[in-house]
Amino acid sequence: MMMDMNPDDALADRDTPTSDWRPAGERPLSDREVPLRHDGAMAALNAWLDGEAPAPRTANSQLTPEAELWSRISVEAASRRKLRTPSHVAAQIMNALPSSTAARLVAAPAFHASVTTVARAQPAPTAPGRISMPPTAIAIMAVVCMALGAVFARMM
Amino acid sequence: MAGDREAFAVLVTKYSDALYRHALNMTGSPDVAEDIMQASFIKAFSHLGEVRGRFDAWIFRIVANGCKDWLKNIRRSHVSYEEDDQPSHLTTPDEELTRSELRIDLDWALGQLSHSLREAFVMKHVEGRSYEEMADMLDSTVGALKMRVHRAREALQALLEGKYA
């Protein structure tokens, strides 16, 4: 049995010839070509692999052959999970970064949030050309400027 | 500017392992995985101003799209990177029991799956993500992804059970 995963575009797919020239046996299996086996064994296997049920076993408490296979696949998958990036890759990436776009980092709040979360890094430096000042200092400077303006006006 | 590069290096270090694992298991080639990683981080660096939401989900989507594009291109150019990894039926039963052979066969079987099934399987089983996390990263629903993983398992089961089960 085939199940349509995307009913909205089913018609479009039917009308569009496939772009893959290879015979059916050589093409990768598309989502819809994977037959759904509605047997209890596969359902039990999926439930087990999703952590919703115990492992399927035979009458003498052994894992079923399918469960045994998936147990081995799980071991292989777990070993792949420990794989680390080759050490030279990070340096390669950093060397390949364009320098002209570095200034854009300052304007990216998500970038700073990520960096702060990841490394508890120092606060980002102020963007070139921008001056940051507390509001109190701005108010004091304004008062001083007005006073100076008044003094100059009297002198003239 | 140097400080920003250093800050970006922190992100590269933090996320590169997970992204590399994804790219490697999607493409089956360490060299291609490295290229996709490099291109993705450069793209991310150049478009950091466009990040909305979580950086890890954003960079993951860039890498996932890179893998998808590579798979499309390699299939279009009629080159099958799995050819060298076809399971051999000439080995002895003892050799067939070795784990390295299962590794090769699993790579071959994953190469037979469509991109979306392979992606779902890799994220669930190899990367060990929950369905909720997958739905968040792929902008999909838990139900749809569960179905996709089930389909991937059934396809892999059909491809491997003749030899192993």
Side-chain angles (χ1 to χ4, degrees):
Chain A
M1 176 189 168
M2 303 295 179
M3 182 178 279
D4 190 352
M5 292 288 287
N6 303 297
D8 291 341
D9 63 3
L11 192 60
D13 261 15
R14 220 172 286 137
D15 293 342
T16 312
T18 176
S19 58
D20 200 324
W21 56 277
R22 289 173 291 183
E26 294 175 25
R27 272 186 287 127
L29 296 170
S30 76
D31 292 11
R32 292 173 207 169
E33 285 173 339
V34 178
L36 278 181
R37 283 165 48 180
H38 288 290
D39 57 24
M42 202 62 225
L45 210 55
N46 276 320
W48 167 51
L49 292 169
D50 284 339
E52 296 164 354
R57 293 184 182 276
T58 58
N60 53 358
S61 298
Q62 299 290 311
L63 284 179
T64 61
E66 292 82 9
E68 183 63 43
L69 168 63
W70 279 98
S71 179
R72 293 179 62 189
I73 291 175
S74 298
V75 170
E76 168 59 20
S79 77
R80 292 181 184 211
R81 209 170 297 152
K82 293 174 191 156
L83 198 71
R84 307 291 303 268
T85 317
S87 52
H88 64 274
V89 174
Q92 238 172 35
I93 290 168
M94 293 312 296
N95 289 337
L97 291 181
S99 54
S100 58
T101 51
R104 292 184 193 181
L105 298 178
V106 177
F111 167 73
H112 287 299
S114 300
V115 172
T116 309
T117 310
V118 168
R120 304 274 181 256
Q122 293 290 322
T126 311
R130 281 191 197 170
I131 299 168
S132 63
M133 198 176 282
T136 323
I138 294 171
I140 291 169
M141 283 182 69
V143 170
V144 170
C145 285
M146 285 173 68
L148 285 173
V151 169
F152 282 125
R154 280 193 185 177
M155 285 170 66
M156 294 174 74
Chain B
M1 278 191 188
D4 291 328
R5 289 177 77 89
E6 281 167 23
F8 193 76
V10 174
L11 296 181
V12 173
T13 307
K14 166 79 178 172
Y15 297 116
S16 63
D17 281 346
L19 296 171
Y20 178 73
R21 277 194 289 271
H22 184 82
L24 180 59
N25 282 287
M26 288 301 292
T27 63
S29 161
D31 290 342
V32 174
E34 284 180 26
D35 288 348
I36 289 174
M37 287 264 294
Q38 184 165 322
S40 300
F41 273 111
I42 289 171
K43 194 171 181 181
F45 187 73
S46 305
H47 294 87
L48 274 168
E50 297 164 22
V51 185
R52 301 286 179 270
R54 285 165 45 192
F55 178 82
D56 60 338
W58 183 68
I59 184 77
F60 174 83
R61 274 194 289 273
I62 296 176
V63 171
N65 285 337
C67 295
K68 193 175 181 177
D69 290 345
W70 184 84
L71 285 167
K72 258 190 220 164
N73 291 335
I74 197 117
R75 281 173 180 161
R76 195 174 295 139
S77 64
H78 305 172
V79 176
S80 172
Y81 67 95
E82 303 95 356
E83 276 174 5
D84 291 341
D85 291 341
Q86 291 271 0
S88 164
H89 298 285
L90 302 172
T91 50
T92 65
D94 283 342
E95 286 170 319
E96 285 180 357
L97 289 174
T98 60
R99 203 168 122 204
S100 63
E101 185 149 11
L102 176 63
R103 181 176 300 145
I104 291 169
D105 289 346
L106 185 59
D107 277 338
W108 167 78
L110 282 171
Q112 306 303 305
L113 302 186
S114 68
H115 166 265
S116 63
L117 294 188
R118 185 174 185 160
E119 182 179 62
F121 180 85
V122 166
M123 289 180 79
K124 178 69 184 163
H125 284 279
V126 178
E127 296 167 19
R129 298 181 192 275
S130 67
Y131 284 119
E132 287 75 16
E133 197 180 352
M134 289 167 65
D136 189 32
M137 298 190 96
L138 297 175
D139 200 20
S140 185
T141 63
V142 168
L145 286 164
K146 213 168 184 177
M147 183 64 79
R148 225 184 278 175
V149 170
H150 288 191
R151 283 175 179 278
R153 283 178 192 152
E154 291 182 28
L156 291 173
Q157 170 93 22
L159 289 162
L160 297 171
E161 70 185 347
K163 187 173 179 182
Y164 290 96

